[in-house]
Amino acid sequence: MDKVLEVRNLGKVFGKGCSRCFDETGPKYETNICPHCGSVVAAHDVSFDLYKGEILGIMGESGSGKSTAVKNLFFDQEPSSGKATFFDEGKQYDLFSLNAAQKRHLRNHRFGMVYQNPVQGLNFNVSAGGNIAERLLMNDLRNYKEIRDRAIELLRRTEVLTERMDELPKNFSGGMQQRVQIAKALAINPPLLFLDEVTTGLDLSVQAAILDLIMEIQQERGTAMIAVTHDLGVIRLLAGRTIVMKYGRVIESGLTDQILEDPQHAYTQRLVASAL
């Protein structure tokens, strides 16, 4: 299998940090706040691999560090430590040593991101079709008809009525905004897609439709995805492998079926039991 992403010892500390931050935080201490310097250890020593066509789940409650890991990889935040390598068409990119222009290039041309809050992923001052057009223009598509045709194709694919493509996203429901955000993220056929709590706050029927869409995209395009969620149902449906995080640490990882059927860590056991 082709490896798309390799992450080793990723860490993120908010605050000045001190020599005792890692020794007295984490699941054992039931906190990610250092008692000595007050820094927040949002993530520590996070490692995983991701392969072409795979959906990797990162599961945990609020404050577990799951979203921090993705935000570091998508360059929304600067990591404090670690290494991440992106493998793309025979090239390797050391993500955390790239300059600003190189990071912007990967964000615009090779990565896709779907945020929990569509306000972060969409420009609410331009139409649904205009959001997709912005992404296509970044990738040197200049022909107006080609851009519009591609926008129509993507909106149809994500089940947004094409007659609404010239409307502003603020006029759409939350589920429809998420669909537009997914269409925008897919506009350039990125080999790597990040999904950060994409179904939170949506009605159950809308959640199911969004998840079905994500699975179809994965099967059709072989897109590698990282799905961050606190929802066991989302993990069960989407992810072939799963990482469980708590207080910034990975406490369990493996095949999703194994983790859900035979969780080893007490925290994962409680999570699974609460969902039954």
Side-chain angles (χ1 to χ4, degrees):
M1 261 176 113
D2 296 335
K3 189 182 287 187
V4 174
L5 188 65
E6 180 180 286
V7 178
R8 295 291 179 269
N9 312 116
L10 170 62
K12 177 64 178 176
V13 177
F14 292 100
K16 62 181 181 179
C18 72
S19 60
R20 299 161 81 176
C21 276
F22 306 133
D23 296 332
E24 296 184 41
T25 59
K28 179 181 172 184
Y29 294 91
E30 292 286 314
T31 184
N32 58 6
I33 301 172
C34 176
H36 302 284
C37 69
S39 297
V40 176
V41 182
H44 177 60
D45 204 21
V46 177
S47 299
F48 60 84
D49 295 329
L50 178 70
Y51 295 89
K52 181 178 170 61
E54 178 183 35
I55 300 180
L56 175 73
I58 305 183
M59 183 173 71
E61 61 198 7
S62 180
S64 64
K66 59 190 188 301
S67 290
T68 296
V70 162
K71 286 173 180 172
N72 279 267
L73 294 167
F74 192 62
F75 311 123
D76 281 340
Q77 295 175 356
E78 288 280 339
S80 304
S81 58
K83 183 179 174 68
T85 308
F86 173 54
F87 301 88
D88 183 41
E89 297 181 334
K91 296 179 183 175
Q92 294 184 24
Y93 298 87
D94 183 354
L95 296 184
F96 301 154
S97 66
L98 300 177
N99 62 36
Q102 291 168 322
K103 289 177 181 177
R104 200 160 48 245
H105 176 82
L106 287 182
R107 273 178 69 117
N108 292 341
H109 297 264
R110 307 306 291 158
F111 294 170
M113 169 67 103
V114 183
Y115 293 96
Q116 175 180 346
N117 187 344
V119 170
Q120 291 179 272
L122 294 174
N123 182 344
F124 273 56
N125 296 316
V126 300
S127 67
N131 269 275
I132 296 169
E134 280 183 349
R135 188 107 162 110
L136 293 171
L137 286 165
M138 287 175 188
N139 285 267
D140 303 320
L141 191 57
R142 294 284 182 263
N143 181 288
Y144 174 79
K145 185 178 184 305
E146 283 181 29
I147 289 173
R148 195 162 178 87
D149 287 349
R150 177 78 173 129
I152 288 170
E153 174 198 338
L154 285 158
L155 291 172
R156 277 186 185 142
R157 182 69 197 77
T158 51
E159 296 181 10
V160 178
L161 294 172
T162 52
E163 48 264 42
R164 299 192 70 184
M165 73 180 292
D166 296 318
E167 279 189 56
L168 296 175
K170 69 179 182 182
N171 297 333
F172 293 178
S173 66
M176 204 61 77
Q177 288 173 354
Q178 255 341 12
R179 290 173 185 276
V180 174
Q181 203 188 171
I182 292 170
K184 181 178 182 177
L186 292 174
I188 53 157
N189 290 321
L192 178 55
L193 185 62
F194 300 104
L195 307 167
D196 191 4
E197 297 276 17
V198 294
T199 59
T200 299
L202 301 178
D203 293 341
L204 285 176
S205 61
V206 178
Q207 282 188 30
I210 295 283
L211 295 173
D212 283 345
L213 171 63
I214 289 165
M215 286 191 296
E216 284 173 22
I217 290 161
Q218 179 226 7
Q219 288 161 9
E220 287 173 14
R221 304 188 180 200
T223 309
M225 304 185 195
I226 297 177
V228 168
T229 184
H230 66 278
D231 188 328
L232 216 62
V234 171
I235 288 290
R236 193 186 300 276
L237 194 64
L238 290 185
R241 286 187 304 122
T242 296
I243 291 169
V244 183
M245 293 187 68
K246 185 173 175 64
Y247 292 119
R249 294 349 192 243
V250 174
I251 58 167
E252 194 158 353
S253 64
L255 295 173
T256 301
D257 288 348
Q258 287 180 350
I259 285 177
L260 296 183
E261 288 167 19
D262 186 24
Q264 299 300 302
H265 195 281
Y267 171 69
T268 316
Q269 290 168 359
R270 287 198 303 273
L271 273 181
V272 172
S274 68
L276 294 176

